[in-house]
Amino acid sequence: MAAPAADEAWCRQTVPRVMELVSPRLPLRDVCALLAVSPWCYRALVANPRLWEVLDLREMKNAGDRLISALSLSGISLENLEFLNLNACQKISDKGIEAVTSLCANLQGLSIYWIVGLTDSSIGHITKNCRQIVDLNLSGCKNISDKVMRLIANSYQGLKKLNITRCVKLTDDGLKEVLQKCSSLESLNLYALSSFTDKVYKEIGLLSNLTFLDLCGAQNLSENGLVCISRCGGLAYLNLTWCVRVTDAGVVAIAQGCQSLELLSLFGIVGVTDACLEALSKSCSRSLTTLDVNGCIGIKRRSRDDLLKLFPKLRCFKVHS
């Protein structure tokens, strides 16, 4: 009888201590596996709420089943979950989004990148159930419409980060609502969205806290649009790759207005010349560490040595690949 009692005492006293030390260092999938090892492991892990503040199921097979399992763990409250990553979990549906968000009232960050089957209904569930979102990644959700933009604008006026890469059904009118009401935006990713016009870029220019802006492929972005964007004086990251209408005048405006730029990509823009680099050198040579002018055939001094003479802090010469 003494041995079983000793084993039980060891499990009761030692296992929780070991789990407390080890579990914060493990990937989430390993923590979930440990739940099934023994009742003692289970109780020790369930009793640690910090383990369940972030739920990362990106690209996992059977992510829906894993999500259901996580939601059903006895004793674990997802009310404290702060960030949920479901990137590329293709089999999750609108109903799945409804189920998980109904239990995560305090969620602050949600990433549902490339779940292409989701519709406006999913965003309706998110905005209804999760009122504290400040970081929202909808990249690749190709079926969402301007209705979603209205929901976001009316629900998340404290939004800090928004990624709507390749959400191709969105129009100027929808995005303008977000830009007008979510004035605290710090990061805006509009990668591969070619239909927006200067109506949108004018509104972007009013975002005084913006530090990250990705406009890769913005085919309608003009000199006037860039002049508006140049009012975002805190911009540190600006991707203008394949913005084919951009000229020296627009880049000069950026150089004069955004003097804290750390990354700038002009990849593939044939309408810019050495003049824009000279303007950038005068204003941003102390801050720029990444500059991509590959494919800018109008810029003659674009070798690594030439660029280092103008921008001595450059460490990276390629953004687009």
Side-chain angles (χ1 to χ4, degrees):
M1 297 293 292
D7 289 344
E8 182 174 342
W10 185 88
C11 290
R12 181 182 292 109
Q13 297 172 13
T14 306
V15 169
R17 294 177 186 174
V18 172
M19 289 296 100
E20 185 177 0
L21 290 172
V22 173
S23 57
R25 297 175 173 83
L26 295 176
L28 182 66
R29 66 186 72 199
D30 293 340
V31 174
C32 291
L34 283 172
L35 289 168
V37 170
S38 74
W40 304 104
C41 288
Y42 180 92
R43 291 167 190 164
L45 294 171
V46 166
N48 187 350
R50 292 181 61 85
L51 293 176
W52 312 104
E53 291 177 353
V54 173
L55 193 56
D56 188 346
L57 302 176
R58 56 185 165 180
E59 299 183 3
M60 283 189 182
K61 294 181 179 179
N62 302 318
D65 294 337
R66 292 173 184 264
L67 184 57
I68 291 171
S69 297
L71 295 180
S72 62
L73 287 173
S74 176
I76 295 178
S77 172
L78 292 187
E79 290 183 2
N80 295 322
L81 189 69
E82 295 180 357
F83 186 84
L84 176 60
N85 187 337
L86 297 175
N87 288 350
C89 296
Q90 293 283 3
K91 293 187 177 181
I92 292 179
S93 66
D94 290 333
K95 289 184 178 180
I97 295 297
E98 180 182 15
V100 68
T101 57
S102 68
L103 299 175
C104 304
N106 293 312
L107 206 62
Q108 296 181 30
L110 177 62
S111 187
I112 51 176
Y113 159 80
W114 210 250
I115 308 182
V116 295
L118 298 185
T119 70
D120 291 355
S121 296
S122 281
I123 314 306
H125 299 314
I126 293 167
T127 54
K128 176 184 177 182
N129 297 326
C130 307
R131 305 295 294 177
Q132 300 183 45
I133 295 287
V134 295
D135 183 349
L136 186 58
N137 185 352
L138 306 178
S139 175
C141 296
K142 297 182 177 183
N143 290 320
I144 64 174
S145 71
D146 283 346
K147 179 182 177 181
V148 163
M149 295 293 98
R150 294 187 200 98
L151 288 171
I152 292 172
N154 292 326
S155 303
Y156 301 136
Q157 296 182 13
L159 194 65
K160 302 293 185 184
K161 296 182 179 180
L162 179 63
N163 187 338
I164 51 174
T165 293
R166 291 193 170 94
C167 295
V168 293
K169 292 185 178 181
L170 302 181
T171 71
D172 282 351
D173 291 338
L175 183 54
K176 277 177 63 178
E177 289 196 55
V178 171
L179 298 176
Q180 290 169 352
K181 294 185 178 180
C182 303
S183 58
S184 297
L185 275 170
E186 299 172 359
S187 175
L188 182 61
N189 197 328
L190 307 181
Y191 184 97
L193 293 172
S194 60
S195 63
F196 293 133
T197 71
D198 284 346
K199 293 178 181 179
V200 158
Y201 306 130
K202 180 179 178 180
E203 298 295 335
I204 291 176
L206 301 177
L207 300 175
S208 59
N209 296 321
L210 199 65
T211 60
F212 178 105
L213 181 60
D214 196 324
L215 297 175
C216 177
Q219 296 182 11
N220 294 321
L221 176 64
S222 71
E223 174 186 328
N224 291 333
L226 271 185
V227 169
C228 293
I229 291 170
S230 70
R231 297 170 188 150
C232 300
L235 265 184
Y237 181 111
L238 180 59
N239 187 359
L240 299 177
T241 295
W242 293 121
C243 294
V244 294
R245 294 182 60 192
V246 167
T247 63
D248 282 339
V251 179
V252 169
I254 291 294
Q256 294 172 346
C258 306
Q259 298 187 15
S260 298
L261 272 181
E262 298 173 14
L263 180 148
L264 176 65
S265 177
L266 303 175
F267 181 95
I269 302 176
V270 299
V272 294
T273 71
D274 293 85
C276 77
L277 290 190
E278 293 172 5
L280 285 166
S281 179
K282 290 178 182 178
S283 301
C284 304
S285 62
R286 295 182 180 180
S287 61
L288 267 177
T289 58
T290 300
L291 178 64
D292 191 343
V293 292
N294 292 290
C296 300
I297 58 176
I299 295 178
K300 305 307 178 184
R301 293 181 296 166
R302 62 179 189 272
S303 71
R304 182 173 296 227
D305 289 340
D306 288 333
L307 293 175
L308 283 171
K309 290 176 183 177
L310 293 170
F311 308 99
K313 292 191 175 182
L314 279 187
R315 297 294 179 269
C316 182
F317 300 83
K318 188 173 184 179
V319 175
H320 185 81
S321 59

